[in-house]
Amino acid sequence: MEFRHQPVMVNEVIKGLRLKPKGVYVDCTIGGGGHSQAILDFQPDCQIIGIDQDPNALQVAERRLAAYKNRVSYFHSNFLYLDRVLIELGLAEVDGILLDLGVSSAQLDQKERGFSYQHNAKLDMRMDPSNPKTAYDLVNNLSIEQLTEIISKYGEERWAKRIAEFIDIQRKKQPIETTSQLTAVIKAAIPRKARLEGPHPASRTFQALRIAVNDELKVLQEALHKAVDFLKPEGRLCVISFHSLEDRI
């Protein structure tokens, strides 16, 4: 499936970055290139350094931004390594940095990536396909205690221990290989009345596993410090976050 990404909060990003003539801006999660295109259009002589750990997203961004090719550099990397990218380019500081956190709608729509409980696929959830750790590995190999901690901490799921116990019961019969199998286990673990309240019963557990697979919160903590170190005086760091775990950081 084609990677299609509609950027959010574009006007807020443009305003927040306070774009300068001939400025250098790092789009740490370039995705489909939507935010970068808006920046390039708004400030016609600025430069973009585009980073993404998803090679599919980078290919789409390169196609979308083909007309700006002399103003954009692309790097397949996790934004944890922002410092390495800038040092490789010989840059000690930049005018602005953007992070658009979490999973994108495009990644959710790519059924084979296993991010969504709405599509049946292998348990994967890797933003970078070269990452050796998958959701399958966590679900089938971690202890009940480890699973409980992940689901509780990263999913803020009140039924975390019960879900982990039900996962353990099921995987002893046979490995849990697909998103549909995992969703069924989660639904069985959560009492019926609780399932009728709030979001989809699997949403918190899927979020928790995705964050754990990609080590998202640790990466964010470290990357924020690195980003500030590379900002020029009056430089701007803009972060788009989607849940309280990111907000607290």
Side-chain angles (χ1 to χ4, degrees), residues 105-117:
S105 57
Q107 288 168 325
L108 287 170
D109 290 341
Q110 290 179 304
K111 300 177 183 180
E112 70 277 8
R113 305 291 292 273
F115 284 112
S116 176
Y117 49 81

Side-chain angles (χ1 to χ4, degrees), residues 137-249:
D137 298 323
L138 302 188
V139 167
N140 289 285
N141 297 323
L142 294 185
S143 67
I144 293 176
E145 292 74 22
Q146 289 171 316
L147 279 173
T148 299
E149 182 180 9
I150 285 173
I151 298 168
S152 176
K153 183 178 178 181
Y154 296 153
E156 300 182 298
E157 170 60 74
R158 62 179 292 203
W159 301 102
K161 188 171 189 292
R162 188 172 161 90
I163 291 169
E165 290 171 344
F166 272 58
I167 286 173
D168 187 55
I169 292 169
Q170 181 59 37
R171 70 189 181 183
K172 284 177 178 175
K173 299 175 183 175
Q174 64 180 64
I176 300 171
E177 298 184 346
T178 68
T179 54
S180 292
Q181 288 174 318
L182 179 59
T183 298
V185 173
I186 296 167
K187 284 183 175 179
I190 299 176
R192 184 176 182 276
K193 184 178 178 181
R195 292 202 307 269
L196 299 176
E197 303 169 352
H200 189 285
S203 62
R204 294 187 181 94
T205 299
F206 270 65
Q207 172 183 291
L209 290 170
R210 190 204 79 225
I211 289 173
V213 166
N214 298 287
D215 208 8
E216 293 176 38
L217 300 186
K218 182 181 178 183
V219 166
L220 175 60
Q221 284 181 311
E222 294 187 24
L224 286 175
H225 289 290
K226 292 180 179 180
V228 172
D229 288 341
F230 277 91
L231 284 177
K232 291 181 180 179
E234 299 186 5
R236 284 297 187 96
L237 168 63
C238 289
V239 184
I240 302 173
S241 69
F242 293 88
H243 53 76
S244 59
L245 295 172
E246 296 166 344
D247 290 342
R248 289 174 204 146
I249 293 171

Side-chain angles (χ1 to χ4, degrees), residues 116-143:
S116 176
Y117 49 81
Q118 295 179 325
H119 308 301
N120 188 30
K122 289 184 178 180
L123 278 174
D124 193 323
M125 302 193 192
R126 294 174 296 173
M127 292 181 179
D128 182 348
S130 67
N131 178 1
K133 179 174 62 178
T134 68
Y136 172 91
D137 298 323
L138 302 188
V139 167
N140 289 285
N141 297 323
L142 294 185
S143 67

